[in-house]
Amino acid sequence: MIENWPENIIPERVPRHVAIIMDGNGRWARQQGKERIFGHFQGVESVRESVQASIELGIEYLTLYAFSTENWNRPQDEVNALMELLVDTILAEVPSLNERRIRIRFIGDRHLLPQKCIQTIEEAERLTMPNQQLQLILALSYSGRWEIAKAVRRITEAGMSAQEITEELISNFLETSDIPDPELLIRTSGEQRISNFLLWQIAYAELFFTDQLWPDFNKELFFEAIRNYQGRERRFGKTSEQIQ
Ligand code: FPP
């Protein structure tokens, strides 16, 4: 166990997989009287904090909703700036990811991304593939319904019969086929919605909503979400007596 283990977190009950909807960058920037993109820049710091918190707790998978399918409808200037920020950040971070044995992966409709972005994410995936401390999964040009529709198309193309369709088979055709479902989903900024994120995978996830805007989210707030999660009773449809 690490020396500075955060207070009141039970090591045996740390989730294996945490997913985050990072929301509120635009509002944070506007509150400072700045352009929205400034909030996205600051949001990268909160990504670093969350990655660091995950490493300290020994979390195995961290999935971040960085750009949804719906985000393509934002003003072109903001989309371009976000793509540039993603490319620059990912390129710059690869050595540090390798040092900390973090594997980076991307889920989403990569064909819609600019060529430079596709090249960068594929290079980052290749360079960090052997790392086993933490899998950092960035959802880019992603939506849950897109993912499920793609899985159904692929199942049909594979010639599966109706009798072969099981929940397990569908899971195996998702982008996350080799990743356990998240036990905890965090959303910042006070919105209490799922917004088309990991629709299949969060069937049993605990949901944690905080009013903090994403650029204000930090390691301590991440730990707070874990403590809150550890205080929940996870029942999976059973009665509370069955759980005891
Ligand atoms: C939501 O805030 C945030 C996004 C759509 C982008 C998230 C991207 C980052 C934090 C940069 C990530 C970088 C890496 C390397 C993963 P919003 O713009 O919807 O905020 P608003 O609801 O206040 O308008």
Side-chain angles (χ1 to χ4, degrees), residues 148-164:
I148 293 168
K150 179 181 166 194
V152 173
R153 270 195 304 278
R154 289 180 52 224
I155 288 170
T156 312
E157 282 161 9
M160 300 281 177
S161 68
Q163 289 71 28
E164 288 174 285

Side-chain angles (χ1 to χ4, degrees), residues 50 52 65 80 138 219 223:
S50 300
Q52 188 54 33
Y65 207 4
N80 292 345
L138 292 190
K219 215 166 75 169
F223 292 153

Side-chain angles (χ1 to χ4, degrees), residues 199-227:
L199 293 179
W200 179 274
Q201 298 87 336
I202 59 165
Y204 291 103
E206 297 295 330
L207 309 180
F208 179 83
F209 299 107
T210 167
D211 286 340
Q212 301 289 332
L213 302 175
W214 179 249
D216 291 326
F217 194 76
N218 58 23
K219 215 166 75 169
E220 202 35 60
L221 290 166
F222 190 101
F223 292 153
E224 201 47 54
I226 302 293
R227 285 186 199 104

Side-chain angles (χ1 to χ4, degrees), residues 163-182:
Q163 289 71 28
E164 288 174 285
I165 310 293
T166 59
E167 292 183 13
E168 195 191 351
L169 180 90
I170 294 172
S171 294
N172 288 340
F173 276 82
L174 296 176
E175 302 270 290
T176 52
S177 56
D178 60 335
I179 298 171
D181 289 343

